[in-house]
Amino acid sequence: MRLVAAAALLLFTALARPCAAAGLSCPAEALDKDGRATFLLFSALPLGKTKFAKEWGKARKELSKKFPGLAFEKTENLHVTLSFMGGGWKPEDAELMESYALNGPDLSSGPLVMKGAPELFGPRKQVVALDLTPVPTEWAARLMRDRQTLTDKGFRKRDAYDDVFKPHVSLASAPKPDEQREELARFQAWMTEHAKRFGGLEIAFTRDIKPAFFLVLGKGPEVRFVPLRDHCAAR
């Protein structure tokens, strides 16, 4: 009787405990012949439902007319990147990657409010983004430590943002930045001038903003950032 009870307890424990090796099951069209994902993957804090996003959504049409050469981020795509994983990842590794890549700020003492300043980002300084400060030291250290672990384990390649954690929110990009310096500068100035309209360019990180993995689907104006677990089901 004791053996039966012990076996039942072991079975219940095994069923109740999430299996880290189980991973996810992605659609066949999302995988290459070796079973690796063809879509780019990144972890982020989604900002599409923040007060800033609400005002951004109201302004996008106006901005597209005022700065026709720039591509403006969709409201639902606004985010702060935590770790960029790239392509070629394995769905069965997803849960293990999540354990290192979903590093949000510590909100145990309440919301974290950060102020943005329009700055140029990207390898060609082709993106205008809100550079968010101040960055909590504990958050930056924890995130960069776990991002390095992901790199060491071979889940991602080191990139240009791995030296210092600079949380930012991409707003607009120029397809031909060298020819559009003046337009980029004018948009930067416009955001600064109209900061009050966007709540002083402040973004409040609350418990409702949960870190998650996102897939990059589509290209150009049609690009969408879709939650990984909306596209790939748990096994």
Side-chain angles (χ1 to χ4, degrees), residues 32-223:
D32 64 17
K33 61 182 180 61
D34 298 317
R36 292 180 176 272
T38 56
F39 294 127
L40 298 178
L41 178 72
F42 67 97
S43 63
L45 293 167
L47 303 177
K49 296 183 179 180
T50 59
K51 289 183 178 180
F52 175 85
K54 183 178 181 180
E55 295 306 317
W56 177 254
K58 295 176 182 178
R60 279 188 79 246
K61 188 173 183 179
E62 173 189 347
L63 290 171
S64 294
K65 292 180 179 179
K66 190 178 293 290
F67 306 98
L70 302 182
F72 292 95
E73 199 69 78
K74 295 178 181 177
T75 304
E76 60 270 26
N77 284 351
L78 295 175
H79 67 277
V80 169
T81 298
L82 300 174
S83 290
F84 181 74
M85 310 301 293
W89 46 277
K90 296 180 179 179
E92 57 263 35
D93 292 333
E95 290 182 345
L96 180 56
M97 292 191 299
E98 283 178 333
S99 67
Y100 292 103
L102 306 185
N103 273 305
D106 181 3
L107 302 177
S108 59
S109 299
L112 169 65
V113 179
M114 303 181 76
K115 190 174 182 63
E119 301 289 350
L120 292 174
F121 281 78
R124 300 176 62 193
K125 301 296 182 183
Q126 78 277 20
V127 175
V128 175
L130 291 184
D131 185 15
L132 300 177
T133 57
V135 183
T137 303
E138 182 278 332
W139 182 24
R142 173 165 45 88
L143 183 145
M144 296 303 284
R145 179 197 66 215
D146 286 354
R147 189 188 288 180
Q148 184 60 49
T149 299
L150 288 166
T151 305
D152 293 342
K153 288 181 176 294
F155 292 136
R156 64 183 297 274
K157 294 181 180 179
R158 185 174 174 81
D159 61 39
Y161 294 102
D162 280 356
D163 291 328
V164 179
F165 178 44
K166 288 179 68 67
H168 59 277
V169 185
S170 297
L171 300 178
S173 61
K176 298 180 179 180
D178 292 336
E179 301 173 19
Q180 295 175 272
R181 294 299 169 200
E182 188 269 340
E183 192 171 19
L184 286 167
R186 284 195 298 110
F187 172 60
Q188 278 183 274
W190 188 93
M191 285 299 299
T192 300
E193 181 182 350
H194 294 82
K196 188 175 181 179
R197 176 175 175 179
F198 298 93
L201 302 182
E202 288 186 345
I203 292 180
F205 293 89
T206 65
R207 294 183 184 277
D208 293 333
I209 300 174
K210 301 183 183 303
F213 267 133
F214 293 85
L215 295 171
V216 181
L217 303 183
K219 295 181 179 179
E222 303 305 317
V223 71

